[in-house]
Each structure stands twice: as C-alpha cells, then as structure tokens.
C-alpha cells in the first residue's frame, strides 16, 4: 500500500481503553531508551508498538558517536539493561563499538528491530484528542493513541560560531560525525574543545598523529578511570552464577549514585573528596608546572560534568601535543588564528564542541491541545513534569526528558524507571477507561518551582562554571535532588498531579488544563 494513503487506513477516534483494545503506541527513537521501552511495554502487555528511527540502525548515541577512544565512563555492569545483564562485557568501562553491539543484540534478541521503521524521521506530531497524528519524513501519516519520545538528550551536534569556520581547506568534522576516511597518522591535528569527548579522542590518537593542537577554552577536572579488562574465568563465573551480575549491578549503582549523585546535589563532604581526587590526579600526572597551571580549572570539581579519563594527561604531556589556551580569533583556510595573532596550521580540524542540550525531541514540530507548540512553550528552557510529561500534551510522554537526572549516572536505569511510570499511566487509563492523561499545569508549575529553589544548592549552579547543563534561562536543567530520590519517586505515580480525562470532548476549561 502507498504509505501516503495510510491516513485513510489509520484508526481514528476509537478510545482504546474504553473499547478494551490495545493502544497504538509510537516510540520516537531506537536508541537505548526506545529499545528498553519496547521490551518493558511488551512485558506489561502493550504490544501494538511502532518505533520510528531517523537513521538506518538502532543504538542512538552509540551509533552516532564513532570517534577513536569512545568508551562509556559509567561501569558497564551498571550501564546495562536490568532485563539483559551482560556477563560478556570485556572491560569495566566498555568501549563504544562493544556497547553499540550490545544495543543491537538486545534489539534483535528481544524482537525490537523488527518493529522499527528505519530511515523514517518524525517531522510533525499533532494532538487530535485523544490521538496523535504523526507525520514522518516521507510524508506518511499515522494516528497513535500514545506517543513516547525516546530521542535522547545529546543528539544535535553544536557547531561553534567562529568566524571563517567554513573557509578551512583541510579535513573538518564534528566529533559525533567522525569521518573515518580521513587519515590522522603523521598529520597536524587541531581539536576545539576540552570536554569528555575531546579528552577521550586526545587520549586515543595523540601518539599516532604528527602534532596534536588542543584549543582549550576552559580546563576540566578529571577523575582517573580505573579501567580493567575482565578475565575469561570471571566471565565464565558470571555465566554459571547469573545472580552475581545483579550483585555487581547493585554495587555500582550504590557507588555511583550515592557518591557522585549525592556530591553534586549538596553533600559537601563527598564533593570535597571528589575535589581531592581530581587535584591529586592532576598533580601526579602533570609534572610541568606551566602545563599544570593551564590545566587547572578555576571552578569546583563536578560543576561541569566530571570527566573520567586516565589517558588525557599523558597524551597532552607528549612532545607532539600543544595545549593552546589563547582564545580563537578566527579560522582561516590553513588553520586557526588565535588572539595573539599566531596562525596554527592544521591538516585536520575536529570540532569536539558538544551538543545542543535544549533540543530533546525538537526540531520535530509537536503541537498539543489548543495549538500549543512544544518548542515555543520551552523557548530554549525545556521543562517537564517529573521529566516525562508536559501540560497541554496529553498522551505524550518523554524518556530522558528535560530536568531528569543526568550527570555521572547510568541513564539506562533512569529511562527504565520512567518507562515503568508511563506504564502505570497506561494501566490507569485501561482500568478506568480514560481517553487521555496529561500533566496538570499547577502540578507542573509547583514541581518546577520547587526544583528551581533547590538548584542553588547543587554544584552545577554554585560551583562557578558554565556548561551544557545551563539552558537559556541561565539555570542548570537537571534534577537538583539526589538521583536516588528521583528513582524512588518514579516508583509511585501521584495521579493527582495529572488530569485524568474520561472524555476529551468535555475537557475545555477543566481545572489544571494548560
Ligand atoms: P561538552 O562537554 O559540551 O564540551 C564541549 C567543549 O567544547 C568544551 O570544552 C567547550 O568549552 C568547547 N567549546 C564549545 N564551543 C566552543 C567555542 N566556540 N570555542 C572554543 N571552545 C568551545 O561536549 P562533549 O565533550 O561532547 O560532552 C558532552 C557530554 O556528552 C558530556 O558531558 C557527557 O555527558 C557526554 N559524554 C559522555 C561520555 C561517557 O563516557 N559517558 C563520553 C563523551 C561524552 P567551554 O567548556 O569553555 O564551554
């Protein structure tokens, strides 16, 4: 059938919960969150699911980022789906290709891949209560009862606004669009950025390039990464006694969430320990006082997202590495000119300049009740109720949405807990024959106001730095309480925070509506 005729085939206006049928669910994104959501929804009895994926493969951030040195600085035993722990991880902090393979294998083993519409970006979502009209990039239109955005947090590369960027005549690419055809060996490399991505790239390639020129605007604190390769005997044991994997999962959860999560959200003693570890790491690794001074941040450790990396300091200390802290004046056809008038000639320019962290599902156009536009409602400062819902957007849910806990945490556990929360909402709809559920405006406002009051106690706000955590309003767009509290809260939805809509034709002027 011609995809464009689907509009006529789509089921409209048959509220599933009243009819006792399956809801039609659309999930946008086949990355970690999308894969996990399909598995959990199915387990809960929701089986009519279609996943829309803009590219040709599952994996999300692990598919997109292919730069040398890519690894996950969250321990793999914890950066795993709770329903698919993996005894075969090769390292404590696994490398990108292995994580991508794990994502693909999970999607295949759990029957996710077969329900993904690949190369099908979603361009438009419009609420036609109680359903959503979804338009894909190829013009096909479908209607869904429930839409779940699983588009990830950091998926839109940010390009620096530097004069002359387009004039550079050498090879040039963003770290998330790595050009594997470009030879690095023996060449003059320039990299703009000093974040987690840059640190991993510099650690991985400096030994083989001609010169490595690092253009650092702000230095970053780094915790050494206690990398470890797992032995064959250890893997064998985990296969024999799978319960050990759960123990390891819980162990790393406790270590990471209770230390880093607590430190960033107000535990000063734990924060001081992190500062000590970072300072000692820098002092032990960098003998040259001049270089050490350039690498010493002027803000509190963990204010920007902490970097776990043991390879960066040795790499930047090499004879073929230059740490350039003069500001960038412009980019020329031959290289980068710094404020001191010096031209740094380059063959390859790598932009490790991060992502637009305020995008989330955007640029997909999302139009809710009464024509409310999601991008306009956010206006560069995305907010959500409990990070999963927005008032005025019934039956629309987000995974890893705005104001969720991120930082040095496994986002898999966050996404799984959010999926469970959404499933509770679907169960409520089914039990009570509801047509729609939407966050209440008053609940959303008080939830976000409480968070804004708490934000100054976090190191992201008080630590004296700026980072991608900050949105247009100048506020770190993160959950400001210990992340374990978020996970606990999400166990138990408070339905009073939501409009439970029995009949969408009777909601106009309803209390709590957007
Ligand atoms: P990032 O942390 O946002 O770092 C971007 C870097 O580019 C910063 O050093 C920034 O300098 C610099 N920059 C941006 N625009 C610039 C300009 N116009 N001129 C000069 N410098 C400029 O981005 P990222 O390193 O890609 O990391 C983003 C996030 O991805 C991380 O925080 C982390 O959450 C995630 N990540 C995770 C892992 C992992 O192992 N789990 C690995 C990589 C990334 P300023 O600091 O001065 O702004």
């Amino acid at each position: 059938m011609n995809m464009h005729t689907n509009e006529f085939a789509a089921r409209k206006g048959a509220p599933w919960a009243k009819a006792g049928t399956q809801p039609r669910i659309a999930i946008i994104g086949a990355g970690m969150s999308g894969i996990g959501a399909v598995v959990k929804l199915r387990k809960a009895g929701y089986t009519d699911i279609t996943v829309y994926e803009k590219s040709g493969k599952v994996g999300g951030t692990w598919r997109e980022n292919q730069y040398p040195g890519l690894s996950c600085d969250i321990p793999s035993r914890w950066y795993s789906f709770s329903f698919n722990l993996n005894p075969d991880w090769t390292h404590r902090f696994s490398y990108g290709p292995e994580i991508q393979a794990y994502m693909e294998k999970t999607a295949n083993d759990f029957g996710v891949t077969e329900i993904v519409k690949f190369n099908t970006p979603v361009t438009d979502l419009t609420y036609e209560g109680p359903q959503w009209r979804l338009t894909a990039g190829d013009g096909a239109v479908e209607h869904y009862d429930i839409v779940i955005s699983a588009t990830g947090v950091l998926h839109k590369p940010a390009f620096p606004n530097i004069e002359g960027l387009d004039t550079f005549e050498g090879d040039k690419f963003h770290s998330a669009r790595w050009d594997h055809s470009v030879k690095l060996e023996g060449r003059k490399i320039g990299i703009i950025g000093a974040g987690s991505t840059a640190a991993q790239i510099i650690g991985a390639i400096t030994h083989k390039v001609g010169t490595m020129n690092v253009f650092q605007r702000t230095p970053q604190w780094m915790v050494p990464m206690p990398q470890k390769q797992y032995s064959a005997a250890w893997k064998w044991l985990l296969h024999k006694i799978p319960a050990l994997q759960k123990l390891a999962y819980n162990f790393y959860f406790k270590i990471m969430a209770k230390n880093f999560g607590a430190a960033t959200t107000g535990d000063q003693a734990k924060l001081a320990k992190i500062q000590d570890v970072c300072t000692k790491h820098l002092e032990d690794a960098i003998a040259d006082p001049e270089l050490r001074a350039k690498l010493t941040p002027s803000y509190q450790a963990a204010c920007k997202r902490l970097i776990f990396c043991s390879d960066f300091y040795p790499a930047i200390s090499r004879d073929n590495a230059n740490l350039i802290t003069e500001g960038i004046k412009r980019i020329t056809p031959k290289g980068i000119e710094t404020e001191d008038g010096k031209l740094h000639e380059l063959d390859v320019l790598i932009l490790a300049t991060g992502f637009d962290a305020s995008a989330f599902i955007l640029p997909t156009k999302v139009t809710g009740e009464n024509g409310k536009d999601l991008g306009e409602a956010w206006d560069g400062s995305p907010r959500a109720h409990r990070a999963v819902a927005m008032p005025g957007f019934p039956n629309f849910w987000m995974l890893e949405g705005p104001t969720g806990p991120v930082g040095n945490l496994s986002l898999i556990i966050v996404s799984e807990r959010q999926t469970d929360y959404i499933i509770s909402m679907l169960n409520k709809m089914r039990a009570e024959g509801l047509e729609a559920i939407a966050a209440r405006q008053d609940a959303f406002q008080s939830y976000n106001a409480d968070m804004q009051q708490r934000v100054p106690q976090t190191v992201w706000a008080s630590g004296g730095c700026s980072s991608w955590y900050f949105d247009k309003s100048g506020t770190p767009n993160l959950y400001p309480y210990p992340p374990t509290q978020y996970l606990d809260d999400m166990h138990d939805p408070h339905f009073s925070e939501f409009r439970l809509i029995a009949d969408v034709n009777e909601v106009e002027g309803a209390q709590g509506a957007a």
Side-chain angles (χ1 to χ4, degrees), residues 305-320:
R305 186 202 184 264
L306 262 183
I307 299 178
F308 282 67
C309 188
S310 297
D311 303 331
F312 173 77
Y313 289 147
I316 201 69
S317 306
R318 291 179 66 96
D319 289 344
N320 68 334

Side-chain angles (χ1 to χ4, degrees), residues 40 78 82 249-250 252-258 261 386-388 399-400 403-406 408-421 424 447 479-494:
K40 288 196 146 243
W78 187 36
S82 64
Y249 178 94
N250 290 334
Y252 283 114
F253 173 27
K254 278 212 172 84
I255 296 282
M256 299 298 288
K258 297 213 164 161
R386 298 201 180 275
V388 291
L399 297 173
E400 309 296 2
T403 66
V406 288
N408 293 89
L409 256 198
S410 167
L411 288 190
I412 300 187
I413 195 171
V414 175
S415 172
E416 285 194 28
R417 204 53 67 82
Q418 291 173 333
T419 303
D420 291 341
Y421 190 89
S424 302
Y447 180 73
Y479 184 75
Y481 308 97
T484 42
Q485 183 178 323
Y486 180 80
L487 298 178
D488 288 346
D489 285 353
M490 295 303 277
H491 250 316
D492 223 355
H494 297 288

Side-chain angles (χ1 to χ4, degrees), residues 32 53 84 95 120 196 229 368 375 449:
M32 172 275 286
E53 170 53 51
N84 191 27
Y95 292 97
T120 313
S196 304
Q229 189 165 1

Side-chain angles (χ1 to χ4, degrees), residues 34 56 70 72 75 93 102 122 138 166 174 184 227 263 313 338 353 393 430 447 452 456 490:
L70 171 67
C72 183
F93 300 93
Y102 170 73
V122 172
D138 58 3
D166 292 335
H174 190 277
L184 302 171
Q227 181 60 296
Y313 289 147
T338 40
T353 42
F393 296 83
R430 179 149 65 187
Y447 180 73
Q452 292 310 308
M490 295 303 277

